[in-house]
Amino acid sequence: MKPNSSGKKVAVLISGRGSNLASLMDAADGSYKIILVISNVAGVAGLDRARDAGIATAVIPHAGKSREAFDGEIDNLLRAANADLVVLAGFMRILSDGFVRGWEGKLINIHPSLLPAYKGTRVHERVIEAREALSGASVHFVVPELDAGPVIAQASVPVHPADTPQMLADRILAVEHKLYPEALKLLAQDKVKLQNGLTVFS
Ligand code: GRF
């Protein structure tokens, strides 16, 4: 796509407070514009943040639906909005292989660990239990296997001996808020792409 005044159209999928969504909204420059926020949970703070900024929102509950049916509803909204890129920001559902393949190279996530270490849940608990000296955040392309996609950008933070999981989560969240917009800008400016299963910079 040729760059234009408003840049790539970005849809953000959330399930909760939306602090990463807020950092992406604040950092939006000419390279991307957030045009739609979809949540699977009604009433979450992230939806309020979007509405307050005049961004279109939608709630698609997942309960009682097959994964494919749920993902299909999301896909329909994304296509109707002409989204170029889809950003997962605290979206707590696993997406079906079909959905992921349909958005291959255009779908990214942020995970609060130094991937490929500590995929999945209870990340900070496990990092502390293992007495790691470093943890951090990773932005990656989404592939069907959970948290296994090629990494676009990472940032590390120290793990202190007295850390609780919440303390570590907060320290990592602060770097997420810088890392995610930078990674999204690279993608929006076509400076990074997914090619043959690898992250390629140009
Ligand atoms: C972040 O820690 C992110 O790494 C993880 O979920 C959390 C979302 O937080 N995927 P928020 O909703 O963006 O505040």
Side-chain angles (χ1 to χ4, degrees), residues 67-124:
R67 186 165 288 168
E68 287 70 22
F70 172 67
D71 292 358
E73 287 184 43
I74 294 177
D75 191 64
N76 287 342
L77 276 189
L78 296 174
R79 306 282 174 198
N82 283 316
D84 299 306
L85 301 172
V86 181
V87 173
L88 308 182
F91 182 66
M92 300 305 287
R93 305 299 301 171
I94 294 173
L95 293 161
S96 58
D97 291 6
F99 180 95
V100 171
R101 292 210 181 87
W103 288 95
E104 191 178 79
K106 297 171 179 173
L107 176 61
I108 61 174
N109 182 42
I110 192 161
H111 182 77
S113 78
L114 294 174
L115 291 174
Y118 299 98
K119 298 171 183 171
T121 57
R122 291 188 65 254
V123 170
H124 310 303

Side-chain angles (χ1 to χ4, degrees), residues 16-21 89-92 109-112 173 176-177:
R17 70 188 156 183
S19 71
N20 277 290
L21 166 66
F91 182 66
M92 300 305 287
N109 182 42
I110 192 161
H111 182 77
L173 194 64
E176 289 182 39
H177 294 161

Side-chain angles (χ1 to χ4, degrees), residues 139-164:
V139 178
H140 63 94
F141 287 110
V142 176
V143 299
E145 191 188 336
L146 187 67
D147 297 331
V151 168
I152 298 170
Q154 288 184 314
S156 60
V157 302
V159 183
H160 301 311
D163 272 348
T164 63

